[in-house]
Amino acid sequence: MKWHEYALNADKNSRHVLGISGGKDSAALAIYIKEHYPEISEKMEYFFTDTGAELQEVYDTLDKLEAYLGKEIVRLGSEKPFEYWLRLHNNYLPSPRQRWCTRTMKIKPFEKFVGDDPVISYVGIRADENREGYISQRETIKAVFPFAEDGLIRDDIFQILEDSIGIPEYYEWRSRSGCYFCFFQRQDEWLGLKRRHPDLFEKAKKIEQDVAKRKFDWGKAEVEECGQGYTWSQTGTLEEIVLRAEEKEKKAGQTGKKSSERWQDVLRNEIDDDPEDQACLICSL
């Protein structure tokens, strides 16, 4: 049975939910369903799990999408700021192997939102991707994959957005939505944060500096740690990362010509993100 047949024939008590991340795929999926499957769109509940550490550009995209859909995007949250959860996790920064931020600040609020209700969750994974996203272990939650089943690929998603709300602005310098301190950011993306949101960069740097300090038990000496759990990236501190990015940018400027293409077109033609490099899989709901 096709995904839309399953959705249309579902029990009337089933809830239809689509998680919006502020990124391209989930936004495009909401628009795609509204335009091609209006009967399903009418039943849909949209939600956004707000960590409190999102970029302003994400909120701007949510506002545009909300207006286009003509429906509210319910804002969920973990009820506590990141710093609270950081202390609760012994001041150990999240990392690709320790994604406590996703579990605590994304998944738990979502599961609280749906409770024990029967739910059909619409996931924005495309036909040209090789990943699963967040799949709940609850028997009451059934995931469906409209893009994957209908054969939509990366280029289709960009076309949907260009024809409607536009591509989220942060993609001009960043490859994904998510928290301003996301540990999956590349060197050039940390540099982009420093230039476009210097206040947020300084906040991320302060969190890192505070976490990196470790005192010996006898309290007579202090040492700074570096690496997983102590810095946002295992490749060094934020200061070191942006310095390397600036040096790389300078060398590229000396040897190459600046592209005259729109950043939207450059982005559209890029190779997609590594499937192993998915920061917040709950956002694929």
Side-chain angles (χ1 to χ4, degrees), residues 207-271:
I207 292 172
E208 181 181 75
Q209 290 171 342
D210 290 345
V211 165
K213 293 179 180 178
R214 288 291 182 272
K215 291 186 177 180
F216 292 120
D217 290 342
W218 53 89
K220 294 181 179 179
E222 190 176 78
V223 61
E224 287 196 359
E225 301 283 358
C226 186
Q228 185 171 311
Y230 302 110
T231 49
W232 292 112
S233 170
Q234 293 188 56
T235 62
T237 66
L238 292 189
E239 287 287 8
E240 293 168 340
I241 287 170
V242 297
L243 181 61
R244 288 197 295 268
E246 287 171 338
E247 292 173 349
K248 182 178 179 181
E249 184 181 72
K250 185 177 179 180
K251 289 180 180 178
Q254 292 173 344
T255 58
K257 294 182 179 180
K258 193 171 182 179
S259 174
S260 60
E261 284 186 281
R262 294 188 316 148
W263 65 264
Q264 291 92 336
D265 295 328
V266 173
L267 175 68
R268 190 167 178 166
N269 294 324
E270 282 182 352
I271 297 174

Side-chain angles (χ1 to χ4, degrees), residues 51 53 82 94 174 179-185 190 193 204 207 232:
T51 64
F82 172 79
R174 205 172 193 246
C179 299
Y180 67 86
F181 49 65
C182 178
F183 44 82
F184 275 107
Q185 290 181 95
W190 280 113
L193 179 69
I207 292 172
W232 292 112

Side-chain angles (χ1 to χ4, degrees), residues 48-62:
F48 169 69
T49 312
D50 193 345
T51 64
E54 316 291 337
L55 297 170
Q56 181 57 47
E57 294 94 322
V58 170
Y59 297 118
D60 294 342
T61 296
L62 293 176

